[in-house]
Amino acid sequence: LLVEVWDRMGPICSFSLLSSSSLCTTSYKDGDLVIEFLDHVKPCVTGDIKIRFKSPDLPIKYDKASFYFWFNTTFVAGAELHIEREMLDNPHFAKYNKIYDENFAVTVRFDNKQQQRLV
């Protein structure tokens, strides 16, 4: 799985879960994949942000991605943003319901200690 974080100017960071053990940790909690950036690499995000996911095991559709979403940090209330399947670009298509089940979602957590940093 390749994860990319973009702002309007271009990519902020990208990493592959197979080769980026120095950037993040992965684990499973209650059956969900959890990706956490290590403290020294948490990207600072502000304004319009796109997070894009690519996997050779998932269909690639629009934006050359398996799925992606945009958000603006101004509208993030609290330290968490939860996006359900219907709001994600690409998995919302009915033909992908067998791949992305009805509970598929992405939750982004922020570390608000200094600035908005992805956790």
Side-chain angles (χ1 to χ4, degrees):
L1 181 65
L2 176 68
V3 181
E4 301 172 325
V5 179
W6 294 62
D7 65 12
R8 289 280 179 197
M9 301 299 291
I12 296 172
C13 71
S14 67
F15 60 92
S16 168
L17 294 185
L18 297 177
S19 63
S20 296
S21 60
S22 64
L23 298 177
C24 61
T25 61
T26 59
S27 61
Y28 283 89
K29 182 177 180 181
D30 300 326
D32 295 331
L33 173 63
V34 176
I35 304 167
E36 292 186 73
F37 286 102
L38 300 178
D39 284 337
H40 68 284
V41 293
K42 289 181 181 176
C44 181
V45 295
T46 186
D48 291 325
I49 301 297
K50 175 173 63 174
I51 301 181
R52 182 166 65 178
F53 299 82
K54 296 180 184 179
S55 172
D57 300 327
L58 298 170
I60 302 294
K61 187 81 172 155
Y62 295 110
D63 202 24
K64 300 177 185 173
S66 300
F67 58 95
Y68 67 100
F69 58 94
W70 282 94
F71 66 96
N72 188 294
T73 57
T74 303
F75 300 107
V76 176
E80 187 173 286
L81 174 65
H82 182 79
I83 303 170
E84 296 183 3
R85 179 185 71 184
E86 292 76 25
M87 298 304 292
L88 293 167
D89 291 303
N90 295 339
H92 71 284
F93 291 110
K95 68 181 180 179
Y96 295 134
N97 286 351
K98 293 179 183 174
I99 298 168
Y100 302 100
D101 73 24
E102 63 188 22
N103 297 319
F104 184 80
V106 175
T107 301
V108 180
R109 292 187 180 91
F110 299 92
D111 177 354
N112 286 321
K113 292 178 185 170
Q114 297 171 342
Q115 299 176 17
Q116 286 192 304
R117 295 189 180 275
L118 296 177
V119 177

